[in-house]
Amino acid sequence: MTSRRLFLNKLLTGVGFALPFFGAHKLLNGEKSGYPVNTIQKEPAGTRIIRPPGAVKEELFLAGCIRCYRCQDACEDGAIQFFTESSGRHYHTPYIDPSIKACTLCMKCTKVCPTNVLQPLEEEDLQKVRMGSIALYRDRCLAHKAKYIRNEQRMLMNLGRSYKETGVIYERRGPCGECHMFCPVREKAITLEPGSLLAPVIHEKHCVGCGLCEEICRQVVRGTPAIVVVALRDRGAL
Amino acid sequence: MRVQFRGIQVFRRLVQAGTVSIIFGLFFLSLYAHYRKINVTGIFQFEISPIMERIMPWIEGLISGMDNPEEFLDNFKGSLWSLRVAGFDISDPLGFVEMTFASGTFYMPMFISILIPVVFTLLMGRVFCSWLCPGYLVFELGSKLRKLLRYMGLKTEGTAYSMSNKYIFLVVGLFAAFLFSIPLFVFFYPPAVLSRIAHGWVFSAAFFGGLWVILTILLFELFVSPRWWCRTMCPGGALYGLLGMLRPVKVETALSECTHCGLCSGVCEPGINPVTDSESIECDNCGACVTHCPEGALYYTIKRPKFNKIFLRT
């Protein structure tokens, strides 16, 4: 009896002592830096559909595809994967997941497709491919983070305070520009901001949606990529 | 003309084994093409499956003398559902019909790609079923297993359904494909399913993808109705039967030599009586009756089609 009461007492005291520290930690890091907290969550896995290049519109694709798996045979980059039985009517149809492997627009799958749901494109028409669009989350992008922190530090120092007050000084950041380097339509879909930090700016109307930027961003950021392919076709719209 | 080759069952088994090995061989060639693309440094940095390790020296020996191995590897791709061999595109007629009904478009290159099987079927009947289809091979082995089970004393049902069910199923399935604009046979047509399973095994993507379809049919055939799928349900068999309705190559009986022992209808794979119904739409020219006739009364021949004998009179 007494031991239980003692135990509960100690537990509550411990929690009571610990709580302010947790709270203080949040206050110190979150509130002090004016860093914008991202509210856009990454869409749940498997809800976006990115078809191989040259795919016709979704309704016709599901009707015409005879599920022969020849596009995967032809895809020597190993980018093409197939939906499983849990995906309903999308079962056995090809898709590309840029978080695993991105498309390099070699167009070999379009040449072997027997039913023309992947339509072959000429070399100069590759910019017309629309597998998806692109979205940039600036709070995860290393270059944008670096730029933000530099601006904040400059502001603090102009106010006569220490630059160490930003609180985000130890975050991973720096000049990168890898997405720009990997983009097949670079200088159109992704351009770099002037300056030495190589911060990317995206132009959605030129993006082919291949996902090479997402693949390399995952490697560089070491976690959730800052630049992700957004599907133009999703599961509900048909 | 009387073509009578008693070893035709052994020959058919060899052709079936060849088909299975061609399916796996095409997948291994595709996989090798992938490895070749990756292996620019000459040293593999990743694990290869043990089967691929054994097969790779053969493929390397095969393409070593060629001046353009990439083109060779590009020309051997696909599965039984739709493939490319030596530069020729070949597709399944059922796939073409399904795609045409579901999408409502006529695609000329695919129509050209089904011409080779269609011409073969017009001349020889449903030979795709009995000589090439891997599903047919699996279900034949299932019927052997069924015989073994019966021999061991297990009681199995012997229900026989109407053979015209498959034509109804074909029409209903195509109408459903047109209605819902999605091809439906592709999910359970055994050659396509088995090709995909083999693809999954070779590319180590999935082990059980669609295997439940084959297992369900196999269990139904073991315990309820012998050779249920091929005889009464298969839409591909129905399409091939309709195409090969007026085939010139047929099995015929010399009635003067026949002793009416009934052995041929026991071994017949499509389950008809070869003496009376060998010219019908159901015969798939497998040649089991030709091999098993003790008198040698059955033989292959070339005849003009007779319209009154096409449909079974039951």
Side-chain angles (χ1 to χ4, degrees), chain A residues 130-186:
Chain A
R130 286 291 175 275
M131 293 152 71
S133 190
I134 204 169
L136 175 70
Y137 298 131
R138 293 186 175 209
D139 56 332
R140 296 191 210 124
C141 177
L142 300 185
H144 276 286
K145 260 194 228 171
K147 204 177 159 193
Y148 192 91
I149 292 166
R150 279 193 86 80
N151 288 346
E152 204 176 24
Q153 285 173 349
R154 189 193 297 149
M155 190 189 77
L156 283 170
M157 286 167 85
N158 285 348
L159 292 171
R161 292 157 70 183
S162 167
Y163 68 92
K164 284 180 181 172
E165 284 179 52
T166 52
V168 288
I169 194 162
Y170 298 114
E171 277 212 40
R172 211 175 123 70
R173 66 192 192 279
C176 172
E178 291 291 340
C179 46
H180 176 257
M181 283 303 293
F182 273 74
C183 185
V185 280
R186 74 179 73 90

Side-chain angles (χ1 to χ4, degrees), chain B residues 233-269:
Chain B
M233 282 314 273
C234 186
L239 187 67
Y240 281 118
L242 290 171
L243 283 172
M245 211 157 57
L246 302 173
R247 62 187 178 277
V249 179
K250 286 167 187 168
V251 174
E252 204 184 22
T253 320
L255 284 171
S256 55
E257 295 166 30
C258 179
T259 56
H260 299 282
C261 62
L263 259 175
C264 50
S265 24
V267 297
C268 183
E269 295 292 349

Side-chain angles (χ1 to χ4, degrees), chain B residues 50-120:
Chain B
I51 306 169
M52 192 62 200
E53 244 172 36
R54 283 194 187 175
I55 288 176
M56 208 133 81
W58 298 359
I59 302 173
E60 273 165 2
L62 186 71
I63 63 165
S64 60
M66 291 175 190
D67 42 322
N68 198 354
E70 272 83 15
E71 199 187 338
F72 172 79
L73 288 170
D74 276 350
N75 280 340
F76 286 85
K77 278 204 161 82
S79 65
L80 210 58
W81 195 219
S82 172
L83 56 92
R84 171 184 284 239
V85 172
F88 285 103
D89 276 318
I90 302 172
S91 297
D92 197 298
L94 186 68
F96 171 74
V97 174
E98 276 258 76
M99 173 251 175
T100 309
F101 268 82
S103 66
T105 52
F106 181 83
Y107 184 48
M108 200 60 190
M110 192 172 186
F111 180 70
I112 292 165
S113 73
I114 68 163
L115 281 182
I116 294 171
V118 162
V119 167
F120 257 86

Side-chain angles (χ1 to χ4, degrees), chain B residues 5-294:
Chain B
F5 176 49
R6 297 301 285 271
I8 197 153
Q9 284 309 290
V10 181
F11 187 54
R12 184 161 75 93
R13 292 279 178 252
L14 286 177
V15 172
Q16 282 175 334
T19 315
V20 173
S21 49
I22 281 172
I23 294 171
F24 276 101
L26 286 174
F27 290 152
F28 276 116
L29 277 175
S30 313
L31 191 58
Y32 177 75
H34 290 207
Y35 281 165
R36 197 185 157 79
K37 178 83 179 287
I38 299 161
N39 190 18
V40 283
T41 53
I43 309 154
F44 279 107
Q45 301 283 343
F46 50 89
E47 275 186 37
I48 316 170
S49 69
I51 306 169
M52 192 62 200
E53 244 172 36
R54 283 194 187 175
I55 288 176
M56 208 133 81
W58 298 359
I59 302 173
E60 273 165 2
L62 186 71
I63 63 165
S64 60
M66 291 175 190
D67 42 322
N68 198 354
E70 272 83 15
E71 199 187 338
F72 172 79
L73 288 170
D74 276 350
N75 280 340
F76 286 85
K77 278 204 161 82
S79 65
L80 210 58
W81 195 219
S82 172
L83 56 92
R84 171 184 284 239
V85 172
F88 285 103
D89 276 318
I90 302 172
S91 297
D92 197 298
L94 186 68
F96 171 74
V97 174
E98 276 258 76
M99 173 251 175
T100 309
F101 268 82
S103 66
T105 52
F106 181 83
Y107 184 48
M108 200 60 190
M110 192 172 186
F111 180 70
I112 292 165
S113 73
I114 68 163
L115 281 182
I116 294 171
V118 162
V119 167
F120 257 86
T121 311
L122 286 176
L123 294 176
M124 316 243 262
R126 286 169 60 187
V127 280
F128 173 82
C129 294
S130 54
W131 289 70
L132 298 174
C133 178
Y136 198 89
L137 178 63
V138 169
F139 301 143
E140 263 186 289
L141 297 178
S143 77
K144 296 276 189 287
L145 184 64
R146 182 191 156 86
K147 270 178 193 159
L148 186 71
L149 289 179
R150 281 179 85 88
Y151 179 73
M152 283 160 63
L154 199 75
K155 211 178 169 191
T156 50
E157 294 278 327
T159 323
Y161 298 99
S162 171
M163 286 186 191
S164 47
N165 280 356
K166 57 174 172 284
Y167 307 104
I168 298 165
F169 188 49
L170 174 69
V171 171
V172 168
L174 289 181
F175 183 68
F178 176 70
L179 209 60
F180 302 118
S181 54
I182 183 168
L184 294 167
F185 291 140
V186 295
F187 298 113
F188 45 81
Y189 181 50
V193 172
L194 283 166
S195 297
R196 277 189 226 117
I197 292 168
H199 189 278
W201 288 352
V202 172
F203 281 72
S204 33
F207 195 80
F208 285 111
L211 202 62
W212 58 272
V213 177
I214 305 296
L215 287 178
T216 312
I217 298 171
L218 209 54
L219 279 179
F220 194 80
E221 294 196 350
L222 277 180
F223 295 110
V224 182
S225 175
R227 301 304 309 282
W228 168 69
W229 182 262
C230 299
R231 286 179 189 175
T232 65
M233 282 314 273
C234 186
L239 187 67
Y240 281 118
L242 290 171
L243 283 172
M245 211 157 57
L246 302 173
R247 62 187 178 277
V249 179
K250 286 167 187 168
V251 174
E252 204 184 22
T253 320
L255 284 171
S256 55
E257 295 166 30
C258 179
T259 56
H260 299 282
C261 62
L263 259 175
C264 50
S265 24
V267 297
C268 183
E269 295 292 349
I272 54 173
N273 183 3
V275 179
T276 55
D277 299 328
S278 68
E279 290 182 38
S280 72
I281 193 169
E282 299 295 340
C283 175
D284 53 12
N285 280 347
C286 64
C289 48
V290 176
T291 309
H292 286 91
C293 183

Side-chain angles (χ1 to χ4, degrees), chain A:
Chain A
M1 184 73 187
T2 45
S3 63
R4 187 186 287 171
R5 178 175 283 174
L6 197 67
F7 171 72
L8 277 172
N9 232 333
K10 279 191 172 179
L11 192 73
L12 281 175
T13 321
V15 170
F17 268 108
L19 258 175
F21 287 106
F22 283 118
H25 176 79
K26 254 190 181 170
L27 284 172
L28 282 173
N29 281 342
E31 294 297 313
K32 200 175 170 188
S33 71
Y35 197 62
V37 178
N38 180 33
T39 49
I40 308 163
Q41 296 295 312
K42 190 176 181 289
E43 46 198 333
T47 48
R48 61 177 179 177
I49 295 182
I50 297 158
R51 296 287 185 205
V56 295
K57 61 182 187 207
E58 185 66 14
E59 199 179 336
L60 200 59
F61 191 91
L62 283 174
C65 176
I66 60 164
R67 281 85 164 156
C68 65
Y69 279 46
R70 274 178 77 177
C71 42
Q72 194 182 33
D73 282 353
C75 184
E76 288 172 353
D77 297 305
I80 292 181
Q81 298 170 56
F82 287 89
F83 284 113
T84 53
E85 55 265 44
S86 58
S87 307
R89 64 183 166 196
H90 300 271
Y91 189 20
H92 287 317
T93 51
Y95 72 98
I96 288 170
D97 190 352
S99 65
I100 299 167
K101 213 81 189 288
C103 175
T104 58
L105 297 177
C106 70
M107 294 287 163
K108 279 197 167 177
C109 51
T110 60
K111 282 166 199 149
V112 299
C113 182
T115 60
N116 206 25
V117 290
L118 302 179
Q119 291 175 341
L121 287 167
E122 294 301 317
E123 192 79 16
E124 54 268 19
D125 289 345
L126 288 186
Q127 297 167 0
K128 291 179 188 165
V129 174
R130 286 291 175 275
M131 293 152 71
S133 190
I134 204 169
L136 175 70
Y137 298 131
R138 293 186 175 209
D139 56 332
R140 296 191 210 124
C141 177
L142 300 185
H144 276 286
K145 260 194 228 171
K147 204 177 159 193
Y148 192 91
I149 292 166
R150 279 193 86 80
N151 288 346
E152 204 176 24
Q153 285 173 349
R154 189 193 297 149
M155 190 189 77
L156 283 170
M157 286 167 85
N158 285 348
L159 292 171
R161 292 157 70 183
S162 167
Y163 68 92
K164 284 180 181 172
E165 284 179 52
T166 52
V168 288
I169 194 162
Y170 298 114
E171 277 212 40
R172 211 175 123 70
R173 66 192 192 279
C176 172
E178 291 291 340
C179 46
H180 176 257
M181 283 303 293
F182 273 74
C183 185
V185 280
R186 74 179 73 90
E187 295 302 331
K188 278 183 180 172
I190 300 178
T191 52
L192 295 180
E193 278 181 13
S196 57
L197 287 174
L198 306 176
V201 180
I202 57 170
H203 307 281
E204 285 163 20
K205 64 175 181 179
H206 292 298
C207 178
V208 295
C210 65
L212 280 166
C213 48
E214 182 180 340
E215 193 188 338
I216 194 63
C217 191
R218 182 172 290 272
Q219 305 291 324
V220 173
V221 173
R222 300 181 197 159
T224 317
I227 192 160
V228 294
V229 177
V230 184
L232 292 177
R233 45 179 95 198
D234 55 289
R235 218 162 268 210
L238 212 157

